[in-house]
Amino acid sequence: MHTKVKEMKMLIGGKWVSGEKTFEVRNPQSSQVIARVPLASKQDMSLAIDKAERTYRNTQVWPTHERITILDRVVSFMKENAEEFARIIASEGSKTINEARGEVKRATQTIKISAEEARRMNGETINFDQNEGSENRVGYHYRFPVGVVGAITPFNDPLNLVAHKIGPAIAAGNAIVVKPASVTPLSALKLAEAFVEAGLPEGFLSVVTGSGRELGDTLVTHPSVQMISFTGGPNAGNRITQKAGTKKVSMELGSNSPVIVLSDADLHDAVQSSVSGAFSAVGQNCIGVQRIYVEKDIYSQFLDTFVTRTAELMVGDKMDELTDIGPMIEEKEAERVELWVNEAVTSGATVEVGGKREGAYYYPTVLTNVPESAKIAKEEIFGPVVIIQPVADLNHAVELANDVDYGLQAGIFTRNIHHAFYTIKHMNVGGIMINDSSDYRIDAMPFGGTKGSGVGREGVRYAMESMTESKVVCFRLQENML
């Protein structure tokens, strides 16, 4: 049965517009075309930015209460249309319908938190009289929006990661131009519809669809764009950083997250959490578990239990509510994962379970005996593959965990508070989860990493800080004027 192909429009300056050219969006499970979307030109992107700049400059007052009202209306729209949002996510991307429903809940919460944080974007008074000679000075500082934010988002959380750009930008009073991933633009367009329906003033939001190579440079280098918020791969991130110049930049560039399991841990809980952390969203998760270091006393038992649990995962139709693992985003991505696994096996690694590809599907895979030099041990696999390795003790585990060019999030399973705090102190990461896998996140927390994992922090409040500037105001009181 063939679903009717939707003819989509993009949002430029508050207007729904078609493009001279279109591109196809396909369901990765069937390769069936589900939509045709405008293939924007550089001129389209420039127009969106110009409209954003004019709208921002011409809006003398955009009160906080109006921003809150709009964001609250978006929340209501998302709740009323939750199942449609979920089906869009599951049809254009890799997530199962259950995972997609979870993402809709989180994205709705992200917008709700944005509304709440809008009322909390405060400054504070400054005691200028702490400085000798400034006894007659009083003042404060406050935050003001940067102006136009440019955002580039990836495919793996096509709704929530877009919400993490638009929500904070609008809450802080900015205009924003979003370039969503070209394989999953439909979720972003549906969220744009929510903002239009909510009464967002025209020009404050554009969602421009098309090729990152075609549009990215215009968005990054346009003089009206004051900040770039990017989530994606390190190579693209490096190029953006080089081209952005003195603009503000916030980047989340992924990881190959480690989890440490000590012999005093609750083994079954560690297995359950780590299996979920490794294989949810087919492993296409920047904080997904990729490396597990297990204290040698329990290594065999942990490995056997982990492999058994992995083998039980249901691979199949992502619209089936019993399915655990759907397809990867494209067959070429599954082929890449297959290549990396085969390279590791050639170097001496052992496939304990999985290691099989069928089209865009790659089965959940557990590797052992992986050489430290293997690409899969150093780089972000972004697929359903996890490495399990025995370690002598906690020191050894932390040393190995840190020995990569990433530092987004990590996890440790232990009942020993001293071991937990040793890890907290010595792990070079942006977040550490105690008795949880590395992929735990709530949308209100600061989110970002060290080393090659990025620059700055996301999470609504922290994104708003990066999307605003601080202005100091100081009054010198003149006694002879009184």
Side-chain angles (χ1 to χ4, degrees):
M1 186 177 118
H2 286 278
T3 309
K4 184 181 177 184
V5 177
K6 292 182 178 179
E7 301 291 339
M8 306 297 295
K9 293 183 178 182
M10 59 185 167
L11 187 69
I12 293 185
K15 304 288 187 186
W16 293 105
V17 300
S18 303
E20 289 185 13
K21 298 178 181 178
T22 62
F23 64 96
E24 295 174 339
V25 178
R26 293 177 179 268
N27 184 327
Q29 180 167 300
S30 62
S31 292
Q32 184 178 334
V33 178
I34 56 176
R36 291 188 183 89
V37 178
L39 183 67
S41 64
K42 292 177 181 177
Q43 289 74 24
D44 292 325
M45 178 60 82
S46 293
L47 177 62
I49 296 168
D50 290 342
K51 286 196 171 185
E53 169 73 2
R54 281 201 303 275
T55 301
Y56 176 75
R57 295 295 168 207
N58 293 337
T59 304
Q60 298 298 321
V61 177
W62 193 17
T64 302
H65 68 83
E66 288 185 9
R67 286 178 255 151
I68 292 170
T69 298
I70 287 164
L71 290 163
D72 281 341
R73 286 177 187 159
V74 172
V75 169
S76 297
F77 182 98
M78 294 174 77
K79 287 180 177 177
E80 290 165 9
N81 297 275
E83 187 63 15
E84 184 180 355
F85 272 106
R87 292 193 169 274
I88 290 170
I89 292 168
S91 63
E92 69 177 343
S94 294
K95 289 188 172 179
T96 66
I97 188 63
N98 289 328
E99 290 172 331
R101 287 170 182 148
E103 182 178 345
V104 175
K105 283 185 179 178
R106 280 190 56 188
T108 305
Q109 187 179 52
T110 298
I111 300 298
K112 181 64 177 172
I113 296 167
S114 298
E116 294 166 354
E117 289 295 341
R119 71 176 82 248
R120 289 195 283 264
M121 195 175 74
N122 301 321
E124 60 182 19
T125 57
I126 302 170
N127 297 326
F128 285 99
D129 62 355
Q130 66 187 280
N131 191 59
E132 187 177 343
S134 292
E135 291 82 1
N136 64 334
R137 285 177 171 85
V138 296
Y140 57 92
H141 70 84
Y142 72 97
R143 303 202 72 82
F144 66 97
V146 296
V148 179
V149 175
I152 301 173
T153 60
F155 71 83
N156 57 314
D157 285 302
L159 180 64
N160 195 31
L161 290 180
V162 174
H164 266 282
K165 312 295 187 189
I166 300 177
I170 298 302
N174 295 291
I176 181 168
V177 178
V178 181
K179 210 303 282 183
S182 55
V183 287
T184 56
L186 306 182
S187 300
L189 292 170
K190 187 66 180 176
L191 185 59
E193 181 188 336
F195 275 92
V196 171
E197 291 296 314
L200 181 71
E202 289 186 1
F204 274 102
L205 173 63
S206 292
V207 176
V208 185
T209 53
S211 161
R213 289 180 180 175
E214 176 72 15
L215 305 174
D217 278 6
T218 303
L219 184 60
V220 170
T221 61
H222 196 292
S224 294
V225 176
Q226 299 300 310
M227 182 201 170
I228 300 296
S229 180
F230 173 77
T231 303
N235 292 335
N238 286 333
R239 289 196 298 272
I240 288 170
T241 303
Q242 290 165 7
K243 292 176 179 177
T246 57
K247 296 179 192 289
K248 296 187 82 175
V249 174
S250 173
M251 297 208 169
E252 196 276 279
L253 305 177
S255 192
N256 59 356
S257 300
V259 164
I260 297 169
V261 183
L262 299 183
S263 56
D264 64 355
D266 181 328
L267 187 139
H268 289 280
D269 179 55
V271 168
Q272 185 79 4
S273 297
S274 298
V275 167
S276 172
F279 301 126
S280 63
V282 209
Q284 296 170 135
N285 176 8
C286 58
I287 47 177
V289 178
Q290 185 171 330
R291 299 173 291 143
I292 304 177
Y293 300 106
V294 186
E295 209 161 14
K296 59 186 178 182
D297 294 351
I298 60 165
Y299 173 75
S300 295
Q301 186 184 1
F302 179 91
L303 178 61
D304 290 346
T305 311
F306 194 100
V307 168
T308 300
R309 178 72 191 96
T310 300
E312 292 170 353
L313 294 172
M314 293 287 293
V315 179
D317 179 2
K318 59 188 174 174
M319 289 300 185
D320 187 331
E321 298 196 0
L322 297 177
T323 297
D324 298 305
I325 307 288
M328 295 193 68
I329 191 64
E330 292 178 301
E331 186 169 351
K332 68 179 183 181
E333 282 298 295
E335 290 171 347
R336 177 189 59 78
V337 171
E338 181 181 43
L339 177 65
W340 286 27
V341 170
N342 290 344
E343 283 178 354
V345 170
T346 301
S347 302
T350 303
V351 177
E352 301 290 345
V353 66
K356 182 172 74 169
R357 182 179 70 83
E358 292 177 356
Y361 284 88
Y362 197 86
Y363 280 66
T365 299
V366 176
L367 298 179
T368 56
N369 304 312
V370 176
E372 289 182 24
S373 59
K375 178 184 273 190
I376 207 165
K378 296 292 187 185
E379 300 297 327
E380 181 179 31
I381 183 68
F382 221 62
V385 181
V386 66
I387 299 166
I388 304 180
Q389 180 177 335
V391 290
D393 53 30
L394 176 59
N395 290 21
H396 186 209
V398 170
E399 185 180 321
L400 291 173
N402 281 335
D403 191 27
V404 293
D405 191 33
Y406 294 102
L408 190 49
Q409 289 196 174
I412 180 172
F413 289 87
T414 179
R415 288 188 173 98
N416 186 315
I417 194 168
H418 300 290
H419 289 159
F421 272 97
Y422 177 89
T423 313
I424 291 165
K425 183 176 180 181
H426 292 93
M427 286 285 279
N428 189 0
V429 292
I432 183 155
M433 308 299 129
I434 314 301
N435 291 319
D436 220 334
S437 86
S438 59
D439 81 322
Y440 180 76
R441 178 187 180 187
I442 66 167
D443 298 289
M445 74 189 208
F447 180 74
T450 62
K451 298 185 283 187
S453 284
V455 178
R457 292 293 180 269
E458 294 225 318
V460 176
R461 173 185 166 192
Y462 310 93
M464 287 174 66
E465 288 179 0
S466 65
M467 293 175 176
T468 54
E469 300 280 12
S470 184
K471 182 176 289 187
V472 174
V473 178
C474 178
F475 292 86
R476 184 166 69 93
L477 304 176
Q478 296 174 299
E479 291 183 13
N480 60 0
M481 300 291 289
L482 297 177

